[in-house]
Amino acid sequence: MILNFAQALKELGPDAVYQLMRESRPTDNYYLTGFLPEVQKSSYVVDNATISVIPTMAGLSGMDAPYPEGGVMTASKFLEKTAKITNQVTLSEQALREIQEMGMRMGYGNTENKMNLVEEVLNFTEKLIIQPHWDTNEFLIGQLFTTGQIDWTFNKLKLTVDYGVPSGNKLTARTGNDAYGGSASKFWTDIRLIQSKLNYDVAAIFCHPTTFNEALDNSVNNIEVLEQTTTKYGGVYKIAKLVGSNERKSSDARDTVTITTYGAAGSLIDPTDPTSTINKPFLTAGKLVGVGRQNVDGYIPGEGSTDSVNRDRALGYTHVAPTTEGSGQMGRWARVFTPEGQPMQIKGQGVGNVLPVLQAPDKVVIATTDIS
């Protein structure tokens, strides 16, 4: 019977795990990455300089007079190094013993056992090497959307990026009675502010379930849930504001909105106890985020006369740079191997040089409330 990880890895081939890491893309369970989809780039540095010319109305001109100048040029610059994100996981001898026992109990033959181990290696790669990279990226995007920046310290290293979200788009924090659970809740005030800041072209409003429940459970907010849908990443609620003494639905269209709740979290090793983990929500409770449609209007040199089909679907992208471990090839890198002198173990390593890039900071509005 073949019950050896080294033989299973040989069956997969030398580059199988690396190719799996390079070609895998985050699933649609990652709600926030949908706004900043991953794009493989050839550079380690994010140099996202854009120049656009906004068309202005043609003007009057006298006969034989110079033509009046038209078009207003705008430029933006975002220059940052990508962050190196790495992980390493060891599957111990105990896990191999359990797989061996399972194979013997099920009476697998030579080929079946080999394929069983091959599948185990692939599952190990996907769940313990690849998925943590997606989790980290989602966490970083969550910081971006709830604070307008990334400020993350891990392994005594600090990553700080300011995305230039306008100060006016960071609404006044609601505390005390003004909090969404308070007697003078400003929940609907913030909904209106989000709408107006985005010129009533709102692509999505989202928050952690705790934030939504804080508002929903407060009778002062007069919220009626009109529709509720469950998705892979959370709940989608169409709500309306009730008005008047008989609590009827407001006839103002601005008082009917859709809010997505997103409570997914990743796991981190507890720094106070390395044998346990702590949950790290991708969205911070106490934040209500509105994002607009990019709706880029104008001409961007080099883009051509036809707008990209993805132009209005994303507010930016996640820059996935090459790795030195992958000999400079684009995309993340990974390997799975049996350590020298320890054939009873299997070890996996993953590396990615990534950074979320927000190209439309004015399309993000952040509201904040105390949570009781």
Side-chain angles (χ1 to χ4, degrees):
M1 299 176 68
I2 298 177
L3 289 170
N4 184 287
F5 274 122
Q7 291 177 324
L9 290 170
K10 185 177 180 181
E11 184 73 18
L12 273 171
D15 295 325
V17 169
Y18 176 34
Q19 292 301 323
L20 180 62
M21 182 67 148
R22 285 187 65 200
E23 296 170 6
S24 295
R25 296 293 181 271
T27 68
D28 55 7
N29 292 345
Y30 292 92
Y31 176 70
L32 302 178
T33 299
F35 294 105
L36 302 176
E38 291 191 354
V39 178
Q40 292 187 3
K41 296 286 189 176
S42 59
S43 174
Y44 290 90
V45 177
V46 181
D47 188 358
N48 187 50
T50 59
I51 297 175
S52 61
V53 182
I54 307 301
T56 58
M57 294 174 62
L60 291 170
S61 179
M63 289 186 294
D64 299 318
Y67 303 150
E69 192 69 29
V72 177
M73 181 175 292
T74 64
S76 65
K77 181 74 173 177
F78 183 85
L79 180 64
E80 290 285 347
K81 292 182 179 179
T82 50
K84 186 169 185 177
I85 308 297
T86 64
N87 62 335
Q88 177 171 281
V89 183
T90 301
L91 200 61
S92 67
E93 181 180 1
Q94 180 60 38
L96 179 56
R97 287 186 179 188
E98 292 179 6
I99 294 170
Q100 288 175 334
E101 290 177 2
M102 184 183 302
M104 288 184 285
R105 283 197 303 269
M106 299 182 71
Y108 286 152
N110 215 35
T111 302
E112 289 83 354
N113 273 292
K114 182 165 61 177
M115 296 313 297
N116 186 45
L117 278 182
V118 168
E119 184 177 348
E120 198 68 33
V121 170
L122 293 175
N123 289 338
F124 170 80
T125 303
E126 180 180 347
K127 295 296 183 183
L128 297 182
I129 304 299
I130 299 176
Q131 183 179 318
H133 282 260
W134 296 342
D135 285 353
T136 297
N137 191 63
E138 189 80 345
F139 168 70
L140 295 177
I141 296 175
Q143 280 205 352
L144 183 163
F145 278 130
T146 54
T147 66
Q149 61 183 7
I150 291 174
D151 187 358
W152 184 41
T153 301
F154 185 85
N155 195 29
K156 298 181 181 179
L157 297 173
K158 190 175 181 67
L159 174 64
T160 305
V161 183
D162 191 327
Y163 288 90
V165 174
S167 58
N169 285 20
K170 299 176 183 179
L171 307 184
T172 301
R174 305 306 183 180
T175 61
N177 292 334
D178 287 348
Y180 296 168
S183 58
S185 170
K186 295 295 188 292
F187 171 76
W188 285 107
T189 300
D190 283 353
I191 292 291
R192 286 288 183 89
L193 286 171
I194 288 172
Q195 292 172 328
S196 63
K197 296 284 184 182
L198 297 174
N199 295 320
Y200 297 94
D201 191 9
V202 181
I205 299 175
F206 53 87
C207 62
H208 190 277
T210 300
T211 309
F212 182 70
N213 291 335
E214 187 82 356
L216 185 63
D217 294 340
N218 185 4
S219 60
V220 171
N221 292 318
N222 291 327
I223 296 174
E224 179 182 5
V225 178
L226 303 178
E227 296 177 14
Q228 178 179 347
T229 305
T230 301
T231 67
K232 292 181 179 181
Y233 45 78
V236 179
Y237 300 86
K238 184 177 181 181
I239 63 173
K241 181 180 181 181
L242 299 178
V243 296
S245 57
N246 58 351
E247 294 189 340
R248 58 180 175 80
K249 177 176 171 291
S250 171
S251 59
D252 191 327
R254 295 172 297 176
D255 291 333
T256 298
V257 296
T258 298
I259 294 179
T260 298
T261 60
Y262 184 51
S267 297
L268 283 177
I269 295 176
D270 189 340
T272 63
D273 180 9
T275 63
S276 62
T277 60
I278 55 176
N279 280 347
K280 205 71 175 175
F282 297 141
L283 271 181
T284 303
K287 298 289 185 175
L288 182 67
V289 182
V291 296
R293 295 177 179 84
Q294 193 161 354
N295 291 330
V296 179
D297 188 19
Y299 161 70
I300 297 177
E303 185 183 50
S305 59
T306 303
D307 290 346
S308 166
V309 294
N310 295 316
R311 211 179 191 201
D312 296 334
R313 297 180 184 175
L315 299 179
Y317 67 99
T318 296
H319 187 114
V320 182
T323 64
T324 52
E325 291 83 353
S327 301
Q329 294 188 59
M330 292 193 299
R332 295 184 178 93
W333 172 90
R335 69 168 178 160
V336 176
F337 61 100
T338 53
E340 184 69 29
Q342 294 180 303
M344 77 295 292
Q345 292 184 354
I346 184 172
K347 182 167 294 199
Q349 297 173 329
V351 179
N353 293 308
V354 301
L355 191 71
V357 179
L358 179 65
Q359 295 173 309
D362 59 319
K363 299 298 183 181
V364 177
V365 182
I366 306 165
T368 304
T369 179
D370 279 352
I371 299 294
S372 59

